[in-house]
Amino acid sequence: MKVKINDFDALIVVDMQNDFMPGGALPVPEGDKIIPVLNEYIKLFESNGNPVFFTRDWHPENHISFKGYGGIWPPHCVQDTKGAEFHHDLYIPSDNKFIISKGYSRDFDAYSGFQGTILNELLKERGIKRIFVGGVATDYCVKNTVIGGLNLGYEAFVLEDGIKGVDVNPGDSEKAINYMLSKGAVLINKNEVK
Ligand code: VGL
Ligand code: ZN
């Protein structure tokens, strides 16, 4: 399927933070391998004048998603730490880009970039109709951001070559992709986008 970027498209890059990369606190295997292709998408959207949204997990150090505080995850993406920073190879445009922090309150977690944020309002203000979503993890925050967007009425494209999953249980990422497709998302890769 060929897709031509129009004025009502936005790119959403999910959680490309050090803690989700190999060597980080909650690594997504090969999470860093998608950076070059994500950078291509980011530059394509930037050169077309389209906005790029970067979500980030932004947890307090006693966050409820952490082991020891009622959650299942090792502490990760603690506010203002190196682990919460974006991978330094990720290209961040200087203009028309937005950083969306989520999971920033101790007792509230968010796998979706829409939960507890103004992402929907920012997209609406700009007349965005279609979202293109890449990043990590396919089976958590990418999935929930895509589903959140579909539920809000956006058309959603999932960047097949720009996502990676954690697969806590083998097959989780594949299931997540099938679930997103069943809800109306469309899988695309870089060769199909102009
Ligand atoms: C995520 C687990 C915990 C994600 C965030 O970004 O997919 N996964 N917090
Ligand atoms: Zn988290």
Side-chain angles (χ1 to χ4, degrees), residues 20 26 57 59 63 65-66 73 76-77 102 109 111:
F20 293 127
L26 180 43
D57 237 16
H59 299 318
H63 191 247
S65 76
F66 296 171
W73 304 112
H76 61 276
C77 300
K102 60 186 174 62
D109 198 16
Y111 287 147

Side-chain angles (χ1 to χ4, degrees), residues 51-111:
V52 182
F53 296 82
F54 294 88
T55 71
R56 66 179 181 186
D57 237 16
W58 196 247
H59 299 318
E61 59 190 7
N62 57 354
H63 191 247
I64 49 151
S65 76
F66 296 171
K67 283 175 186 157
Y69 297 91
I72 59 169
W73 304 112
H76 61 276
C77 300
V78 172
Q79 294 166 8
D80 298 309
T81 63
K82 190 86 194 161
E85 289 175 15
F86 293 119
H87 191 290
H88 77 289
D89 292 336
L90 187 70
Y91 175 67
I92 314 258
S94 41
D95 294 322
N96 209 11
K97 60 98 186 357
F98 302 85
I99 310 294
I100 304 293
S101 302
K102 60 186 174 62
Y104 45 77
S105 299
R106 186 187 65 83
D107 47 15
F108 185 77
D109 198 16
Y111 287 147

